[in-house]
Structure formats: C-alpha cells, structure tokens
C-alpha cells in the first residue's frame, strides 16, 4: 500500500500531508505525530460508524462526538468540544485528532487552537472537500449570525492524513461538491490539470481510485504551495483560493447555511467569476463555455438560483474578504491564470448575476 | 514628557511597549501602530469615564463597552465583543484597542485574535497588574467553568501603551495587588530589585511617580526578556513567571472568581513557594521572612485563607500548568534565582499549606 507525503513548508517548520488509500488504519505513519499526553478524537456519529474502528484502534483516545452539519458549526458546538477536553483533563501536552469533514475540521481545529491556548492538532479529513481544501492551510473557525467563519484562528496541524478510501462512503452529492474545489485549483493556476479533468470526468464520477488519488494529490500540492507563500492571507496569493467564493458566500448566506453545499455554490461562483472576467480582463467566452461544460458533466450547478439580485449583492458585500467599501474579486485572464481586482462600480457584477439565471 | 520604549523581540518581529505618564493622550506615539481600517476601543464604563476622553480624541473609533469584573471574563462577554465588531463591519484591516485592566485585555485580546482569525491589537493597560504582566507577552483568553484562562490564544499585540498616570485612579486594593507581581519579578530573577523594593515601600505605597515608573519599566523589561526567549511557554523559562501561581490559582478556584484579587492570591502563593523551597532546595528561612516582611509592609496577604487542605490541593492539581499526574512548582534556590521542579509526593506541599494558616 503506497502513499504520498506532501509537505506544507511554513516559517515555523513544515508539516506533512499524507495521501493514500487505507491510511486511517496505518498508525505507523501518523502516530509519530501524536504527542505524549492525552488524545481526543473529535468526530461525529456518522463518520465514526463508517471510519472510526480502524483508526481508533491505533491509539488510546477518548472519543468526542459533535453534532453533524454546517448549522452546528457554531459557538455552542465549540463549547461542547472544549468542555469535553476539560472534562478529560487534557493538558497542554494533549492531542486533538479531527476526524471528519470540513465542519468537524474547522470546529475541532478551533477547539485545539484555543484549548489552553493551543494543543497538538491532527487533521484526518474524510470528505473530498476537506481533503483538498479545508484540512490544508491552518484555517479553523466557526460561523456566527453575522457570517461564515467569522471567528477562528490560523492554527496549523502537526500532520494531515488524507485517506482516500473514506471517500467511497460519501453521499454522491457531497463527493461531487468536492470536485468543484478541484476544478478551482485548475482554473487558478494549472491549465494542463484543467485539460486532465476534462479528459477524466467519467473516471472521477466512477470514483476510480487512481483518478481520485491524482486529483487529491494535485490539489493538496497546489494548496500547499499557496499556503507556504502566504500563510496568513496577508499578500494577494492566498486570496486566489477565493476564486468564485465571493459569489458562493453570497449564495450560501442568502439561502441559509446548509441549503447549498459549499462546493455547489463555488461551482456557480466560478462560472460567475469567468463571466465577470470576460467583462473585466478579456477572459475568452469559449473558455467560460468549457468551464460550464465541465461542471455540467461533473453534475455540478452552473447558474444562480432564483435570488433577488440586490439581496445577493448585499450578502456579497458583507463577505469578510472585502476591505472598505470595495468589492474584491478573483478574476481569470485565462484558464490557469488568476489575479485579484477591486471593483468600485458594481454594474458588471450585477450584469453577471442577471445573465446567469 | 519623557517615555521609555521597551521592545519585545519575537521570531516574527518586535513590538514596542511604551511606558510613561500621560501616554494615552499621546496619539503621536501610538497612532502609527493603528491600521488603516476601522478601529474599536474595547473597554468598560469605569475605565472609559476615567481615561477614555483623552485617548478616544486621538483616533476615530467605535467604543465597545464590556461588563466589568473577572466574573464576566467568559464566552458570553467574548460574544458581545465579537458581535460588536461584526455589527460595525470591521474587516481584516481593522484594529482593536484594549483599554482597561487584565479582564479587558484578555477578553478583547482573544476577540482580536479570533475575529476573522485575527485583526490588529493594541493593549492600553490601565491597572498596575495589566501593565506589568497581563498586557505583555500575548496571552489572551477567557475563563471556563473548568478553570481560569482555559480557552484563548497566544496573540501578540502590535504595541502596548502603559500610561502610568492611569494608576492614580486605581482603587488602593487593586494597586497593591499589582505590586505582588512586581515582587515576583524580583524573586524569580533580580535580587537587587528585591532590595530596591524593600527600600522603597513608602514611595510605592504613596504612588510616587518616579518609583511607579521604575517598577513598571523594570517589570516590563523582565517579562519582555522571558517572553522573547519562550513565546509559547514551550521551554521552562516562561513557566518561571508562574512563581506562586499554582497555589494562587488553587486559592482563586476554591474561593470563586473575584473573591480574591489575583495579585493577593499570588502574594500568598509566593510565600508558599518560599516555604516549599526551604524544604525542596535549601531556600534560606531568613529570606522567607524577608518576603513576608515586604509583603506585609506592602499591605499584601501572606497566609492561606481558611480552606480545607484537600480541597485546595485538588484545585491545585486541576491547574492547567500540570502535565500528567505530577504537580509542577516554581521554587527558589535564593532570592532572584528560580527554577521548576516536579513533585511526586505531595507531603511537602501539604505541610506548606498547613504551616501557613
């Protein structure tokens, strides 16, 4: 059983992302990263029943069960996690293992970041979205009434274990939503990968293991490079990961957490970014058509839902990525070449939304 | 009007601590550290009415008022602060100014650390305890039912402004409690400063400005050196700052937050540390007597309250500074020379408590 190790290199030192099939049961690979103190596996019931057995046999740990779903990514759930860590009397030498999707990773990650001002954190993402995005790069946090991920920490894990065999049990809709973020990496910086995706839609939808591992590893590598260059999203580089996300967060805010899967909203957001790029920086319409065609074949949405334009714009303005009163967007000059722009006049954004119904 | 600048040098870069009288009104000194985005001054009503005017005139800011007192250093107050930052639509380019004592600094500091995963933070401590300890070194956090400062972040400010003129309005009990932490710096690393304190009790109790500035600056320098060497309390050095604190946290936990001022509990804890040091590493009894004499002249407590020994020991064991099942203590070999020890057998700790009633 082979696996790949991809390092995320940061100022303070690198941490590894292990990718491969069956890694949760391979304690020999990830146990060296567990500390000497107590260990808590933070997960939810569904993930534990599917993937917990092989993993929890590797290490003596207390299991902390959180409620499942984006609507529970809040302070109340964070407090459950923190109180469980306190109840087991975890010390600063303890380790939190976040086993699950993005909601578990973000919540358990923030708990690990803030419990006693920080204990060791291992991410074991079990969804495609978490493996290619959420678990890499140290963003943790919870939602607030005012917005998604409004409160959190940049807190890097000591290691990430991407066991691609866990993806087989994902609901099809969730797996497909994860593919949207993979398309994003192609669009923002890797044109040959976009072609590869166009050529391998059938293998991806069939979850052919070699294809799945290829997209996970390619995405992890892409994210690792960006995070290494701009850990705290201070420069422009990490912002590129938000391609399609201003529109996506608008959709998610208006529709309410959970109505749309994040990847689904990102898919629509990328089409919107492409159309906006046509207006702003000469992106070729034929490439927008290619993006739409790929998303459609991947069974992803590519048009806005029936939301009032002003309501959507208002939600987009509230998105935390904007400084001052300007809307910030990631646009593409071509497939594989993205950059950020500031927009004073909302007209092209409004046009984009109205064209895409 | 002169002031002193003391730099806290960290891996990521240094930040300045400005010490002097009347600095809150000296925007020319601290405004360069405020960012370009929105500014929130987080404080409480008492501090604002005493010190807010001169300071808030320096910068366009929204004022966020938190409830006063250690019993409010919790998630509920943190959420008030976070929601106010969200309501004013602060972006990542915003700045939080924490104006007040340790409770404000810790709560507002954690809010700044976690709001959008971190905005700029300036500390403007207005109590002696906060100026010499809490505001320096990046510890932020709130209390939980399971213990003090159980949840928080290491989050360094961009600058700290210690305006010693604010100390004149402190309730005498609070000012005196702050002196305990100053004695601590002398005990853990600066024997000549201990002698200086013995020689200047009258000037300190009279809040003679030169004496106050000398103790604030000496303490800030001592803490800056320790924090620079061990930012995240990974080595043994920063732990030395906990001299007397294992006993102190035990007293505070048993008595309930707010019954004892932190500095008062630390005073008793330092006497206990001295007595324990007599048993464990040859600390001279005559020096324990000097410590007691100094604390008594400073009007600080130096004996345990009427708490059951087992209850106190249990609370001390729960203190977060302990790893595994061993009690960790900071002991002194002499005045000005401290180190950490692990204790397996609690007998000398128990004896110490029982001797000190």
């Amino acid at each position: 059983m082979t696996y790949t190790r991809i390092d995320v290199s940061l100022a303070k030192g690198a941490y590894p992302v292990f990718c491969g099939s069956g890694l949760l049961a391979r304690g020999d690979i990830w146990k060296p990263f567990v500390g000497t103190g107590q260990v808590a596996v933070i997960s939810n019931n569904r993930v534990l029943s599917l993937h917990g057995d092989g993993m929890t046999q590797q290490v003596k740990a207390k299991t902390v069960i959180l409620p499942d779903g984006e609507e529970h990514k809040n302070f109340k759930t964070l407090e459950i996690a923190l109180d469980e860590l306190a109840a087991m009397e975890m010390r600063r030498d303890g380790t939190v293992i976040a086993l699950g999707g993005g909601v578990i990773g973000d919540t358990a990650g923030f708990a690990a970041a803030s419990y006693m001002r920080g204990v060791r954190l291992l991410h074991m993402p079990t969804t495609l979205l978490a493996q290619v995005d959420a678990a890499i790069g140290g963003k943790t946090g919870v939602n607030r009434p005012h917005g998604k991920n409004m409160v959190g920490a940049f807190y890097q894990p000591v290691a990430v274990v991407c066991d691609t065999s866990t993806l087989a049990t994902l609901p099809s809709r969730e797996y497909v939503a994860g593919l949207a973020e993979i398309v994003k990496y192609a669009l923002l910086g890797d044109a040959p990968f976009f072609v590869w995706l166009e050529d391998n839609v059938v293998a991806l939808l069939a979850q052919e293991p070699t294809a799945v591992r290829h997209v996970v590893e390619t995405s992890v590598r892409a994210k690792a490079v960006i995070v290494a260059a701009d850990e705290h999203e201070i420069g422009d580089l990490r912002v590129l990961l938000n391609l399609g996300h201003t529109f996506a967060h608008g959709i998610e805010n208006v529709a309410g957490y959970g109505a749309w899967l994040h990847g689904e909203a990102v898919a629509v957001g990328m089409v919107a970014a492409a159309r906006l790029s046509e207006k702003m920086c000469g992106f070729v319409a034929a490439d927008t058509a290619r993006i739409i065609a790929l998303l459609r074949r991947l069974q992803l949405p590519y048009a806005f839902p029936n939301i009032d334009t002003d309501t959507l714009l208002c939600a987009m303005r509230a998105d935390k990525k904007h400084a001052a009163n300007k809307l910030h967007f990631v646009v593409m000059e071509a497939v594989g070449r993205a950059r950020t722009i500031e927009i004073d006049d909302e007209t092209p954004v409004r046009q984009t939304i109205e064209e895409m119904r």
Side-chain angles (χ1 to χ4, degrees), chain A:
Chain A
M1 204 163 47
T2 65
Y3 65 93
T4 307
R5 174 184 170 136
I6 299 163
D7 278 4
V8 183
S9 300
L10 301 170
K12 275 189 190 173
Y15 65 87
V17 181
F18 299 105
C19 299
S21 181
L23 294 188
L24 288 185
R26 290 286 301 276
D28 58 312
I29 294 168
W30 52 262
K31 266 175 72 179
F33 296 89
V34 174
T36 51
Q38 292 193 74
V39 182
V41 176
I42 302 185
S43 190
N44 64 43
N45 277 321
R46 195 172 50 80
V47 170
L48 277 172
S49 67
L50 290 168
H51 310 298
D53 284 356
M55 186 257 135
T56 52
Q57 279 167 17
Q58 309 291 312
V59 65
K60 190 168 171 288
K62 179 170 167 25
T63 304
V64 174
I65 294 168
L66 298 185
D68 195 7
E70 181 80 25
E71 71 274 25
H72 295 293
K73 196 174 122 176
N74 54 26
F75 260 47
K76 201 176 147 201
T77 304
L78 176 69
E79 291 187 69
I80 293 172
L82 291 168
D83 286 345
E84 292 273 0
L85 299 181
M88 70 190 276
E89 301 188 354
M90 182 182 280
R91 311 296 185 190
R92 286 191 182 154
D93 57 0
T95 302
V96 165
I97 298 178
L99 176 71
V103 173
I104 287 289
D106 284 4
T107 312
F110 190 32
S114 56
Y115 180 73
M116 291 189 172
R117 302 195 188 93
V119 295
R120 222 169 242 255
L121 169 66
L122 264 85
H123 278 300
M124 298 197 177
T126 59
T127 66
L128 187 55
L129 186 63
Q131 292 191 359
V132 302
D133 184 22
I136 321 290
K139 282 194 178 180
T140 70
V142 296
N143 301 326
R144 295 288 296 164
H146 290 93
K148 281 190 72 169
N149 300 316
M150 280 292 267
V151 178
F154 283 101
Y155 195 73
Q156 301 294 343
V158 294
V160 182
V161 179
C162 295
D163 182 342
T164 50
S165 68
T166 62
L167 306 180
T169 59
L170 273 187
S172 161
R173 185 182 165 196
E174 219 174 307
Y175 172 78
V176 164
L179 294 174
E181 294 279 357
I182 290 166
V183 172
K184 186 191 74 176
Y185 290 112
L187 289 179
L188 68 85
D190 192 343
F193 185 44
F194 189 82
V195 175
W196 188 96
L197 290 169
E198 289 179 313
D199 291 345
N200 288 273
V201 166
V202 176
L204 283 173
L205 288 180
Q207 299 202 29
E208 198 274 293
T210 319
V212 171
R213 242 183 96 175
H214 180 70
V215 294
V216 169
E217 291 179 14
T218 305
S219 302
V220 167
R221 269 198 197 91
K223 181 139 188 192
V225 169
I226 291 173
V227 168
D230 184 16
E231 181 181 354
H232 295 115
E233 202 164 318
I234 292 164
D236 264 358
L237 200 52
R238 190 157 181 165
V239 174
L240 296 184
L241 294 170
N242 293 323
L243 178 65
H245 280 59
T246 303
F247 292 103
H249 289 155
I251 295 173
E252 289 174 286
N253 277 347
V254 174
Y257 296 147
W260 281 62
L261 294 181
H262 179 61
E264 293 169 344
V266 168
V268 176
M270 290 188 296
V271 177
R275 285 199 178 277
L276 184 65
S277 302
E278 289 178 30
K279 299 183 214 322
M280 304 302 292
C281 56
F283 191 71
V284 177
D287 282 337
T288 304
R290 279 173 74 198
I291 296 170
I292 292 173
L294 176 60
L295 295 173
R296 186 163 45 193
R297 291 175 62 210
L298 290 173
Q299 305 169 1
L300 281 161
Y302 47 89
F304 280 106
N306 190 17
I307 297 174
D308 175 62
T309 304
D310 288 309
T311 310
L312 185 61
L313 275 169
C314 180
M316 287 167 63
R317 271 181 230 119
D319 189 75
K320 69 176 178 299
K321 270 80 187 183
H322 307 139
N325 284 319
K326 290 173 179 170
L327 282 168
H328 284 236
F329 285 92
V330 181
V331 288
M332 293 172 280
E333 290 165 344
V335 168
R337 203 163 71 240
R339 64 177 175 88
T340 57
I341 54 163
E342 253 179 29
I343 294 187
D344 291 313
D345 173 10
E346 284 176 2
T347 312
V349 181
R350 184 179 290 275
Q351 282 174 351
T352 298
I353 296 168
E354 289 179 349
E355 284 165 16
M356 280 180 58
R357 294 202 191 282

